[in-house]
């Protein structure tokens, strides 16, 4: 599975914004990767407060991205090449510019009032102390009626009221519209948050993540809603779903994805993504040890077992670039990118690769706060200034953790604007595009890109078990990630050196036959920095 963030993939008309025609221009590139499925970020009509995660019309394509004809052409082009497409379904909230909300605001008795959550204030303030994800209160006072509406994200993203059966019917209608066009499923945005705790009682903690776990996520009717959605829509099509959402813990994973549940097929586990959050939240980055990293995958693998199926990813449009976060993006950028790709493609689960990580794109460090675009980052800067806190520290945190790290345009070649656009990109290109780009990678047999293609072929060859067991060795080792994959027919040992130094591979009482790796093949049991090796196992 390959994720495209449409705004940043390829701009076909020089307005600086990636678009559907731009993706169509790159269809052959996508096919050359060997991927089976694309997750396309939201392309619906949007005022773009949160780059399309605020939808004003679910039935039309935003003019910045193109037209419905462009979409149909993209879908046809993908089908021709045997690549499936899933779309982003963002239905926890709409844009405040969606006609439903525009109606809803008007009067207390408007028929659309119950599409959202409206409440009276308390003691001249919001109805409770709930916090929004990107800062501030989760309630906004609307002067038109003097009531507050709920928005777990920005105030331009009011939360839909799933208690209202008409809302649910409308969502199913949207889903059918796109499925009837022939798409292959959905990635469901923050699906863990759709069922609200209706007593609206105050949160006991002021830490956002605590509130998410205690109050926002896994609400009382979540499974009822998902089962209904499955019954009404999903079960009637041959399609796939992957749910996203904070607050789903590994022990409840199978409630969402257990095969017997009739809900979703996969979820993105976010434990790993939040592992480095300190007491101050995501912009209070703490170091993460390899044993902790390994533990999240072990935990999820054990919890899901054979009853469900995991998704394996290391980055997306909300988080830093995988090589900057989990590898070494300077001296060992190439080796560590290859190692991380080896990891993604040998685990038990469906690997999801974020565009650009197949060429080892890295985080970006803009020095001028004005160069940032992400609403979360901008709200963080605003808060930093308002509170008189240290802006240098804030900038440093954003360099590590900001969402724009993954949103700089795809680097196609070493010409101006990296071949992404002939105009001025909506966000600056990462200055390292002269060295890191697709064109360079195509011409280098040993590039990350070509390694990725080989790994994809290897995974599809049958030599790497896809289903079957996952058994981890040496879980406490601070540098080595070793695991066995076994499907009863094929059995492999994967050894990954997650460090800048050399590590001895521990002896194992089996016969090993080298299959693949990111250094030249050798008999030495010494793993070089960021070395990845895959062996076939024969029992002695
Ligand atoms: O990005 C995050 C924190 O920095 C996550 O908490 C993120 O908000 C969460 O995973 C939900 O993400 C999804 O919904 C958001 C949208 O901004 C994200 O881009 C999307 O992936 C609201 O629609
Ligand atoms: Ca464009």
């Amino acid at each position: 599975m390959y994720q495209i963030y449409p705004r940043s993939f390829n701009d076909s008309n020089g307005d600086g914004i990636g678009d559907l025609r731009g993706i169509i221009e790159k269809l052959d590139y996508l096919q050359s990767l060997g991927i089976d499925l694309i997750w396309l970020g939201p392309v619906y009509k949007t005022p773009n407060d949160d780059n399309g995660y605020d939808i004003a019309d679910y039935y039309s394509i935003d003019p910045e991205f193109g037209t419905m004809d462009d979409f149909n052409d993209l879908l046809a082009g993908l089908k021709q090449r045997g690549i499936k497409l899933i779309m982003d379904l963002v239905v926890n909230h709409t844009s405040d510019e969606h006609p439903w909300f525009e109606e809803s605001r008007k009067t207390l008795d408007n028929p659309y009032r119950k599409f959202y959550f409206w409440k009276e204030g308390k003691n001249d303030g919001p109805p409770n102390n709930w916090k929004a994800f990107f800062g501030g209160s989760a309630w906004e006072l609307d002067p038109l009626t003097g009531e507050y509406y709920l928005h777990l994200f920005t105030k331009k993203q009011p939360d839909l009221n799933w208690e209202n059966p008409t809302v649910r019917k409308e969502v199913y209608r949207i889903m059918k519209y796109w499925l009837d066009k022939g798409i292959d499923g959905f990635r469901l945005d923050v699906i863990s948050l759709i069922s609200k705790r209706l007593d609206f009682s105050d949160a006991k903690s002021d830490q956002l993540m605590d509130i998410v776990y205690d109050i926002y996520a896994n609400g009382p009717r979540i499974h009822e809603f998902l089962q209904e959605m499955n019954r009404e829509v999903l079960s009637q099509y041959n399609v796939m779903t992957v749910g996203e959402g904070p607050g789903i813990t590994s022990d409840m994973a199978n409630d969402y994805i257990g095969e017997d549940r009739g809900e979703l097929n996969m979820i993105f586990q976010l434990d790993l993504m939040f592992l480095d959050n300190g007491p101050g939240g995501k912009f209070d980055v703490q170091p993460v040890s390899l044993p902790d990293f390994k533990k999240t995958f072990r935990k999820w693998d054990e919890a899901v077992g054979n009853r469900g199926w995991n998704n394996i990813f290391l980055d997306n449009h909300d988080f830093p670039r995988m090589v900057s976060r989990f590898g070494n993006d300077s001296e060992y950028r190439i080796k560590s990118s290859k190692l991380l790709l080896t990891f993604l493609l040998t685990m038990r689960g469906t690997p999801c690769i974020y565009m650009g990580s197949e060429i080892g794109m890295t985080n970006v460090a803009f020095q001028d706060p004005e160069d940032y675009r992400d609403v979360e980052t901008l709200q963080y800067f605003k808060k930093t200034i308002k509170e008189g806190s240290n802006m240098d520290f804030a900038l440093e945190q954003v360099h590590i953790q900001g969402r724009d790290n993954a949103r700089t345009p795809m680097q196609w070649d070493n010409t101006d604007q990296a071949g992404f656009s002939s105009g001025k990109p909506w966000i600056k290109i990462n200055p390292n595009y002269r060295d890191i780009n697709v064109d360079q990678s195509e011409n280098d047999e040993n590039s990350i890109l070509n390694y990725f293609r080989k790994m994809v072929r290897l995974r599809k060859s049958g030599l790497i078990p896809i289903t079957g067991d996952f058994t981890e060795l040496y879980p406490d080792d601070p540098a080595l990630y070793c695991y066995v994959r076994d499907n009863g027919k094929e059995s492999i040992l994967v050894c990954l050196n997650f460090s800048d130094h050399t590590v001895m591979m521990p002896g194992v009482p089996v016969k090993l036959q080298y299959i693949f790796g990111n250094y030249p093949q050798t008999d030495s049991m010494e793993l070089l920095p960021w070395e990845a090796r895959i062996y076939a196992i024969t029992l002695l």
Side-chain angles (χ1 to χ4, degrees):
M1 178 166 163
Y2 183 85
Q3 180 192 353
I4 293 184
Y5 194 65
R7 220 178 159 70
S8 302
F9 190 65
N10 187 33
D11 171 21
S12 70
N13 62 353
D15 66 355
I17 298 165
D19 47 54
L20 294 172
R21 287 271 145 218
I23 304 176
I24 293 173
E25 288 174 4
K26 299 293 182 185
L27 279 172
D28 289 340
Y29 172 75
L30 294 168
Q31 186 177 27
S32 79
L33 297 175
I35 53 165
D36 297 316
L37 166 72
I38 284 173
W39 151 25
L40 181 69
V43 290
Y44 319 90
K45 186 157 185 274
T46 172
N48 256 313
D49 188 53
D50 187 15
N51 287 358
Y53 285 93
D54 48 321
I55 297 170
D57 178 2
Y58 291 88
Y59 296 97
S60 67
I61 300 291
D62 195 87
E64 285 186 342
F65 292 124
T67 63
M68 195 56 88
D69 284 342
D70 296 336
F71 179 84
N72 295 338
D73 288 352
L74 172 62
L75 190 60
L78 287 170
K79 278 205 196 303
Q80 245 168 39
R81 289 166 179 81
I83 301 173
K84 294 186 158 48
L85 176 76
I86 65 171
M87 291 184 77
D88 227 304
L89 185 72
V90 188
V91 288
N92 172 70
H93 45 268
T94 67
S95 163
D96 66 338
E97 296 180 34
H98 192 290
W100 297 337
F101 189 77
E102 287 176 338
E103 281 300 313
S104 185
R105 297 177 60 178
K106 286 184 180 161
T107 51
L108 294 173
D109 58 0
N110 188 285
Y112 285 91
R113 192 71 172 177
K114 287 197 166 64
F115 266 52
Y116 298 87
F117 293 101
W118 290 96
K119 281 191 106 46
E120 282 172 17
K122 232 161 122 185
N123 317 321
D124 286 337
N128 67 25
N129 68 357
W130 291 7
K131 287 183 165 207
F133 271 75
F134 305 144
S137 168
W139 297 95
E140 179 73 12
L141 178 63
D142 191 13
L144 273 182
T145 52
E147 284 193 343
Y148 288 79
Y149 65 88
L150 178 70
H151 62 90
L152 296 186
F153 292 87
T154 75
K155 63 176 185 217
K156 286 187 66 64
Q157 295 169 298
D159 281 56
L160 277 171
N161 177 4
W162 276 67
E163 302 296 322
N164 179 347
T166 317
V167 166
R168 304 205 298 277
K169 268 202 199 99
E170 288 289 346
V171 170
Y172 305 153
R173 203 160 75 88
I174 294 165
M175 294 174 76
K176 285 183 182 156
Y177 172 80
W178 291 98
L179 292 171
D180 287 337
K181 269 183 173 296
I183 70 162
D184 301 286
F186 294 104
R187 174 259 187 196
L188 300 97
D189 190 63
V190 287
I191 202 66
S192 55
L193 310 182
I194 59 173
S195 161
K196 312 296 185 216
R197 293 200 158 72
L198 300 172
D199 55 355
F200 295 102
S201 53
D202 271 342
K204 288 182 196 71
S205 165
D206 60 358
Q207 301 287 315
L208 174 74
M209 270 334 233
D210 292 343
I211 308 177
V212 170
Y213 283 105
D214 291 349
I215 297 180
Y216 298 166
N218 315 306
R221 296 183 69 189
I222 179 75
H223 297 294
E224 180 195 330
F225 292 159
L226 289 177
Q227 282 166 21
E228 182 184 270
M229 174 193 283
N230 190 295
R231 212 168 43 239
E232 299 287 324
V233 185
L234 296 168
S235 62
Q236 296 168 32
Y237 298 82
N238 180 21
V239 294
M240 180 273 261
T241 50
V242 46
E244 188 252 12
I248 305 177
T249 57
S250 56
D251 56 298
M252 43 176 100
N254 276 343
D255 295 343
Y256 285 86
I257 60 173
E259 202 131 29
D260 48 321
R261 294 284 294 177
E263 295 189 21
L264 303 176
N265 298 119
M266 292 185 273
I267 44 183
F268 291 121
Q269 70 106 334
L270 294 176
D271 283 2
L272 177 74
M273 293 294 124
F274 297 127
L275 211 52
D276 62 1
N277 292 12
K282 79 172 278 180
F283 294 120
D284 175 17
V285 182
Q286 308 292 316
V288 169
S289 71
L290 184 68
D292 286 342
F293 175 97
K294 295 189 281 191
K295 193 174 162 200
T296 63
F297 287 98
R298 187 168 66 244
K299 228 172 62 182
W300 276 77
D301 187 83
E302 276 170 13
V304 170
N306 288 321
R307 212 181 126 207
W309 185 246
N310 270 308
N311 187 288
I312 311 286
F313 75 100
L314 291 171
D315 56 5
N316 65 34
H317 65 293
D318 288 335
F319 299 100
R321 284 280 175 185
M322 70 177 191
V323 67
S324 302
R325 197 177 197 186
F326 304 114
N328 173 332
D329 67 2
S330 48
E331 199 188 344
Y332 295 109
R333 185 185 65 87
I334 296 178
K335 292 293 181 201
S336 64
S337 287
K338 290 177 179 175
L339 173 139
L340 296 172
L341 290 167
T342 312
F343 168 75
L344 288 168
L345 288 157
T346 52
M347 291 292 285
R348 168 159 75 168
T350 296
C352 184
I353 280 77
Y354 180 60
M355 65 177 212
S357 288
E358 79 276 22
I359 58 165
M361 281 178 61
T362 69
N363 281 357
V364 73
F366 297 134
Q367 294 310 312
D368 185 350
E370 299 271 314
D371 287 334
Y372 285 93
R373 297 286 176 269
D374 167 31
V375 61
E376 178 182 54
T377 298
L378 300 184
Q379 292 207 20
Y380 172 55
F381 284 150
K382 235 192 234 160
K383 177 167 167 263
T384 305
I385 292 166
K386 196 171 134 206
E387 291 173 353
S389 308
N390 185 338
M391 230 359 227
D392 290 338
F393 173 79
L395 205 53
E396 199 181 287
Q397 292 293 307
V398 167
H399 291 166
I400 304 172
Q401 195 76 308
R403 304 200 296 182
D404 282 337
N405 279 311
R407 298 179 180 185
T408 61
M410 183 75 183
Q411 296 162 205
W412 294 103
D413 59 38
N414 65 6
T415 64
D416 286 350
Q417 313 305 351
F420 163 73
S421 171
S422 57
K424 187 170 175 282
W426 68 277
I427 184 171
K428 283 190 171 160
I429 312 277
N430 189 320
N432 63 21
Y433 74 94
R434 300 243 177 230
D435 301 315
I436 304 173
N437 60 64
V438 171
D439 197 38
Q440 180 281 330
S441 313
E442 291 289 6
N443 296 318
D444 173 2
E445 195 197 329
N446 291 316
S447 65
I448 300 165
L449 177 62
N450 283 319
Y451 185 92
F452 174 61
R453 289 177 173 140
K454 284 178 202 151
M455 274 304 308
V456 171
R457 277 203 294 273
L458 196 60
R459 184 176 170 105
K460 290 182 168 179
S461 72
L463 280 178
I464 294 182
I466 293 175
T467 56
D469 295 339
F470 164 83
T471 314
E472 197 187 330
L473 312 173
Y474 327 111
D476 299 324
D477 193 296
L480 260 188
Y481 199 167
C482 282
Y483 48 90
V484 174
R485 296 293 325 284
D486 188 322
N487 62 9
K489 204 169 133 253
E490 308 295 337
S491 181
I492 61 164
L493 171 70
V494 181
C495 274
L496 310 170
N497 176 5
F498 271 76
S499 81
D500 293 348
H501 48 267
T502 298
V503 181
M504 278 310 278
M505 232 176 83
V508 279
V510 289
K511 204 169 141 240
L512 297 178
Q513 199 196 345
Y514 183 86
I515 300 184
F516 195 60
N518 63 353
Y519 277 86
Q521 183 181 349
T522 154
D523 289 336
S524 162
M525 292 306 266
E526 227 175 45
L527 290 172
L528 297 171
W530 299 97
E531 182 161 6
R533 287 189 204 171
I534 306 173
Y535 290 101
I537 300 177
T538 325
L539 288 177
L540 283 183

